[in-house]
Amino acid sequence: AQSVTQLDSHVSVSEGTPVLLRCNYSSSYSPSLFWYVQHPNKGLQLLLKYTSAATLVKGINGFEAEFKKSETSFHLTKPSAHMSDAAEYFCVVSARAQKLVFGQGTRLTINP
Amino acid sequence: GAGVSQSPSNKVTEKGKDVELRCDPISGHTALYWYRQSLGQGLEFLIYFQGNSAPDKSGLPSDRFSAERTGGSVSTLTIQRTQQEDSAVYLCASTYSGDTQYFGPGTRLTVL
């Protein structure tokens, strides 16, 4: 079975500093992995996805993630946080029939 | 183009009443998914429709939950005899092929 674990329920950074949101996955086959973002009272928006091409995936708004099979990790990073990045972030793995399995989410707070 | 739309955006109902939640997928998308987002359970898969195939109902939490998709487009999620634990945000997503699912804004259901 596929699963993801987001290692931090809450991350707080200062504006202009790097962001790191951690995710480990478990999959019985080569997974498809995603990061989605959810702003308050908004729907889920796809940030980026990994589907067995390049291991470093670039997404929208300056985010990127690196797939590391040896560590079963898919951490999300951004070099410089912006106030508009404050949101809930979900690491997601695609299971059979593309059913998505979500992590518990990481709430990102940006301090001015 | 238009994204996934859901209605109503908010629904307040009394315990024991039936409710219907509607999802309009992106035009041309063949697959449609329902998920539930609740405080205690996070985001969880409910049901999946692919073309004319029988739906995958493996995520439905009880037989009070049902869904249909008419004409391969609009879908309705019905909850009968609502309970307080059904309070959640119900999210719909659609996709044409591959993994990327596009989410609607959700319906927030409150059962009093």
Side-chain angles (χ1 to χ4, degrees):
Chain A
Q2 284 69 42
S3 66
V4 289
T5 301
Q6 292 183 243
L7 301 176
D8 306 291
S9 59
H10 184 209
V11 170
S12 181
V13 302
S14 297
E15 189 175 21
T17 64
V19 175
L20 170 64
L21 305 183
R22 298 181 296 163
C23 173
N24 286 350
Y25 70 90
S26 173
S27 178
S28 53
Y29 53 83
S30 182
S32 292
L33 292 160
F34 309 80
W35 278 97
Y36 279 85
V37 61
Q38 186 176 37
H39 288 91
N41 299 315
K42 301 283 188 181
L44 288 159
Q45 181 184 19
L46 179 68
L47 274 180
L48 50 83
K49 68 176 181 179
Y50 165 78
T51 54
S52 75
T55 56
L56 182 62
V57 182
K58 294 189 183 297
I60 62 172
N61 300 335
F63 284 94
E64 62 182 37
E66 186 171 7
F67 174 75
K68 291 187 176 180
K69 185 176 180 179
S70 60
E71 299 176 9
T72 61
S73 69
F74 190 58
H75 301 336
L76 181 71
T77 60
K78 182 173 180 177
S80 177
H82 190 273
M83 294 299 292
S84 61
D85 295 329
E88 187 93 13
Y89 291 79
F90 294 93
C91 182
V92 184
V93 64
S94 178
R96 271 191 319 114
Q98 291 79 47
K99 290 183 285 187
L100 300 183
V101 176
F102 288 79
Q104 288 300 307
T106 297
R107 183 162 59 92
L108 177 63
T109 300
I110 312 296
N111 302 310
Chain B
V4 178
S5 61
Q6 294 185 244
S7 60
S9 56
N10 281 283
K11 177 72 176 179
V12 180
T13 191
E14 294 178 348
K15 178 181 173 181
K17 301 282 190 183
D18 297 352
V19 295
E20 286 189 350
L21 313 179
R22 176 187 169 103
C23 171
D24 280 272
I26 293 172
S27 178
H29 280 194
T30 55
L32 185 149
Y33 302 77
W34 283 97
Y35 295 87
R36 179 169 71 173
Q37 185 174 23
S38 56
L39 281 176
Q41 301 298 321
L43 267 153
E44 53 184 348
F45 164 80
L46 294 178
I47 187 169
Y48 157 60
F49 296 89
Q50 172 62 62
N52 295 320
S53 303
D56 178 344
K57 306 179 182 180
S58 60
L60 293 179
S62 79
D63 58 8
R64 295 185 296 104
F65 287 71
S66 63
E68 63 178 18
R69 190 179 184 194
T70 55
S73 180
V74 171
S75 177
T76 302
L77 178 69
T78 301
I79 309 174
Q80 296 179 308
R81 304 180 303 282
T82 52
Q83 304 295 312
Q84 288 183 332
E85 61 263 28
D86 300 334
S87 295
V89 176
Y90 290 82
L91 295 165
C92 175
S94 71
T95 182
Y96 173 68
S97 64
D99 305 289
T100 304
Q101 295 181 23
Y102 297 89
F103 283 81
T107 293
R108 182 176 297 276
L109 175 66
T110 303
V111 182
L112 302 177

